[in-house]
Amino acid sequence: TFSERKLLQKLVYLLQKFGIDFGFIYSWYLHGPYSPDLTRTLFEMAEVSPLHGGLSDQELATIHKLKSFLGDDIHSSDNLELVVSIDYLRWYARRVGASDGEVLVVLKKTKPYFTEQEIRESWRKSVELEEKVKIK
């Protein structure tokens, strides 16, 4: 479903932030950061048998850290959309010299369906994410 694809897009984005390099490049799109290559890969994977081999202990530990960080948000494509969108916009703003205020303007313009409370909570989570990935 669309919601499941959006959820996977955001989880892979976050896994890459946490240090598992899948090599997907994201750009801004309607529901936040989006990787067309990831979408192609997911559709290709759906057409073949499941992958064999599994994940390394390091990758499993990283996934556990991400699950712990996200809590219940891991099940909500909308919550992940907002956290990942804020993270991406804050990263992009630093690259181009934009302020947090400008990030908020863009965010509210492109995602007017999120409340002030949801934005505040997701902003806090984005800052926490940034600190976690710096520490690793």
Side-chain angles (χ1 to χ4, degrees), residues 71-126:
D72 290 338
D73 287 342
I74 199 166
H75 302 291
S76 170
S77 64
D78 290 338
N79 291 356
L80 289 179
E81 173 187 345
L82 186 54
V83 170
V84 170
S85 294
I86 291 169
D87 182 75
Y88 182 88
L89 288 172
R90 289 179 64 234
W91 166 82
Y92 189 79
R94 283 192 299 278
R95 290 184 65 210
V96 299
S99 70
D100 284 352
E102 291 169 305
V103 168
L104 279 172
V105 168
V106 169
L107 185 71
K108 289 176 181 180
K109 185 175 184 177
T110 58
K111 301 187 176 304
Y113 41 90
F114 288 109
T115 67
E116 289 288 331
Q117 176 64 27
E118 289 169 324
I119 291 170
R120 272 194 303 279
E121 177 59 26
S122 292
W123 192 283
R124 182 198 60 74
K125 203 151 200 146
S126 172

Side-chain angles (χ1 to χ4, degrees), residues 3-54:
S3 182
E4 291 167 332
R5 290 191 313 272
K6 183 168 79 167
L7 186 81
L8 285 170
Q9 282 277 340
K10 304 323 174 202
L11 287 173
V12 170
Y13 175 94
L14 289 169
L15 284 168
Q16 288 190 164
K17 292 282 292 194
F18 267 70
I20 298 177
D21 184 12
F22 295 109
F24 294 109
I25 297 170
Y26 283 79
S27 57
W28 188 254
Y29 197 57
L30 298 173
H31 296 278
Y34 172 76
S35 172
D37 290 337
L38 174 56
T39 296
R40 275 191 291 284
T41 299
L42 291 172
F43 278 115
E44 289 168 5
M45 289 174 62
E47 294 174 1
V48 297
S49 63
L51 296 176
H52 298 287

